[in-house]
Amino acid sequence: MSLTRLKHILARQCDPHGFRKQTKMECFISAENVKSVLTYDRLISAMEKAFKKLQEKQVLQPVRIVLPVASENGFFGLMPAMCEAEEVMGTKLVTWYPQNTGRHGVPTHHAIIVLFNKNTGIPKAIMDGEVITAMRTAACSAVATKFLAPPSACKLAILGAGVQARSHYHALITVIPFTQVTVWSRSFASAELCASELGAMACQSVEEAVREADVIVTVTASTTPVLRLEWVKPNAHINGVGACRPDWSEIDTELMRAAVVYVDSREGALAESGDVILSKAEVYAELGEVVTGVKEAKRDQLTVFKSLGMAIEDVMAGELVLEQLASHSQPATN
C-alpha cells in the first residue's frame, strides 16, 4: 500500500475532532511506511513516557508468553499490553530464529504489532513490527544512557554487527555526540562492514573495542559471556540487549555483580534474563524508577541496564506511528 493511500485511510477514520469512526481495520502498515514517520527523537520521548507510566502502575502487561521452537533453537512470543491513561492497547507477535542469517539469508527477528481501540475492542491496525522492534529497543537504551552514562561520556563501543548494532548507534547519537565509536563482532568482516556504514572503527577483540569506552552496547547472539569486568572502565555504562533467555548470558558474572544493575522490568528480568539469573546479581532499580526520581542514577559507578523489551514499548511505539501518519495526512494550517 502506498503512503498516500495509507494517509487517506487514516484521514477517513477520524472525524474533525480526532475521534476514530473506525468500525473495522482497513490497512496493514508496512515497514516502509513505519520508517517514513518514526524518528528517534520522538520515539525516545515516547519510551521515556512508557517507563514512567509503568512505574506509576498505569500499565497492565503480563510477562511475555514464549513458545520454544526447539528444532530451530528459536522461539515464538506473544506480548500484550494496555495503558488506561494513554488509551492504548495491543500486542506484538514476534519470532526469533538465530540460525536464519546463516541458513536462509533472512533476518533473525520477525514481528507484527496489532493495535486495538481500548474503548470498543475494535482492531485499529496491523503493522510491521521489525522496524519498531529494532528502533524501540535502541530508543530504550538511549533513555537508559541519557540517565546513567557518565556526564563526560564521549566514546561508544558496540558488540555485535547486526540490525540492533546499527539502530543503537543511531539512537544513542541522538542523546550523546560521541567522538569515537568502535565495533566488534565474531566475524571481523561483519564488524568492518558495520563500522564502515557508521563511520566507526572495527576491532579484532572485545577488549580492544571496550577498553576506552564510556558506553558499551552488547547486541550479540551469544549464549555465553563475551564482555568481562577487567576490560571496562569503573564508571562505564553498559546496555545489555542480547541474551534474552534465562540460560543465556552476554556479560560475565563478575561484571554483573560489580555493577549497579537497572532493568526495564524486575518481573521480566527475574524470569527471562540469564545475565541476571545466572549471576545472581542484585537488581537495584527499574529504569522507570530512575525516570521518575524514585531511585538514584548512579552515574559515577559501573552501571548495567539489562533490556529485555516490554510490550508497552511496542504498543506505544505503534500508536506513535499511527499519530504521525494521521498528522501527515492532515492539511497544513496557518
Side-chain angles (χ1 to χ4, degrees), residues 89-155:
M89 185 173 73
T91 189
K92 181 167 80 173
L93 304 173
V94 58
T95 59
W96 187 72
Y97 280 53
Q99 300 169 133
N100 270 2
T101 304
R103 280 189 182 179
H104 309 295
V106 297
T108 56
H109 288 79
H110 295 273
I112 58 172
I113 293 169
V114 187
L115 299 178
F116 296 81
N117 184 304
K118 184 192 70 66
N119 299 315
T120 65
I122 297 171
K124 295 198 297 187
I126 298 177
M127 63 182 68
D128 178 272
E130 291 175 57
V131 173
I132 286 178
T133 299
M135 291 184 68
R136 65 80 160 149
T137 303
C140 291
S141 293
V143 175
T145 301
K146 170 184 169 183
F147 282 93
L148 300 174
S152 59
C154 63
K155 296 180 180 180

Side-chain angles (χ1 to χ4, degrees), residues 4 28 65 123 156 184 186 199 204 216 224 234 266 274 276 325:
T4 301
F28 173 81
I65 299 168
L156 170 66
W184 171 86
R186 291 191 188 277
Q204 294 276 5
I216 301 167
T224 57
R266 276 190 180 84
V276 173
L325 285 169

Side-chain angles (χ1 to χ4, degrees), residues 276-289:
V276 173
I277 295 167
L278 298 176
S279 69
K280 297 181 171 61
E282 179 185 352
V283 174
Y284 170 70
E286 292 184 348
L287 186 55
E289 293 177 295

Side-chain angles (χ1 to χ4, degrees), residues 149-197:
S152 59
C154 63
K155 296 180 180 180
L156 170 66
I158 302 172
L159 307 183
V163 171
Q164 283 292 347
R166 291 162 171 82
S167 64
H168 270 76
Y169 169 81
H170 291 294
L172 293 180
I173 63 172
T174 303
V175 296
I176 295 178
F178 292 102
T179 59
Q180 177 180 301
V181 181
T182 53
V183 178
W184 171 86
S185 174
R186 291 191 188 277
S187 163
F188 186 63
S190 297
E192 286 187 306
L193 176 60
C194 182
S196 68
E197 293 176 13

Side-chain angles (χ1 to χ4, degrees), residues 30 59 62 67 86 89-90 102 112 162 174 184 211 226 232 298:
S30 69
V59 172
L67 302 180
E86 297 297 311
M89 185 173 73
I112 58 172
T174 303
W184 171 86
R211 63 190 173 196
V226 297
V232 305
K298 299 190 177 185

Side-chain angles (χ1 to χ4, degrees), residues 215-233:
V215 177
I216 301 167
V217 177
T218 62
V219 284
T220 74
S222 180
T223 60
T224 57
V226 297
L227 181 63
R228 303 198 177 279
L229 175 62
E230 60 264 29
W231 298 337
V232 305
K233 288 183 175 181

